[in-house]
Amino acid sequence: MEYTTTILTGFVALYIFMLAAFTGFEIIGRVPAILHTPLMSGSNFIHGIVVVGALWALLNAASLPEQIIGFIGVLLGAGNAAGGYVVTERMLQMFKPSGKSTKE
C-alpha cells in the first residue's frame, strides 16, 4: 500500500491559520453569555485532542527542533485544557446558590 504525503507551504499554512482565527473570533463573539459554560466544555474537549496531537508530534520528532516544538505544544495544550477546566468550574460556581438566607 502506497501512502501519499501532503506538503503545506508556509503561505497555505498561514492562510489556514488566519482563516481559523477569524472564524473563531466571529463565532465566539456572537455567543450569548449563558452559553459560555457549555462552550468551554466543548473547548476543553478540543484541547484534549490538541494534546494528543502534540504528543504524537513529540513522539515522532526526529530532530531537536521538532522535539522542542512538540514539547511546547504538549505544554501549552495541557495548560490550556487545565485552565479551561478551572474557568468552567468557576463559572459553574456562579450558578450555585450562595447559601445565604434572604429572609430576615
Side-chain angles (χ1 to χ4, degrees):
M1 178 177 229
E2 190 173 320
Y3 294 100
T4 59
T5 59
T6 304
I7 299 174
L8 284 177
T9 62
F11 181 73
V12 173
L14 180 63
Y15 175 75
I16 291 171
F17 176 76
M18 289 173 47
L19 185 62
F22 176 75
T23 303
F25 179 77
E26 287 297 317
I27 290 172
I28 297 298
R30 298 171 194 259
V31 173
I34 195 71
L35 294 178
H36 278 283
T37 301
L39 185 64
M40 285 298 296
S41 178
S43 175
N44 291 338
F45 171 73
I46 292 170
H47 291 303
I49 295 172
V50 169
V51 171
V52 171
L55 279 170
W56 181 84
L58 178 61
L59 293 174
N60 290 310
S63 66
L64 183 61
E66 291 174 353
Q67 291 173 349
I68 291 171
I69 291 171
F71 177 75
I72 291 171
V74 170
L75 188 67
L76 292 176
N80 209 352
Y85 284 111
V86 170
V87 169
T88 302
E89 183 62 31
R90 286 188 65 197
M91 290 178 76
L92 290 173
Q93 291 296 324
M94 293 189 319
F95 293 106
K96 290 186 179 178
S98 63
K100 294 181 181 177
S101 176
T102 57
K103 294 181 182 178
E104 292 189 25

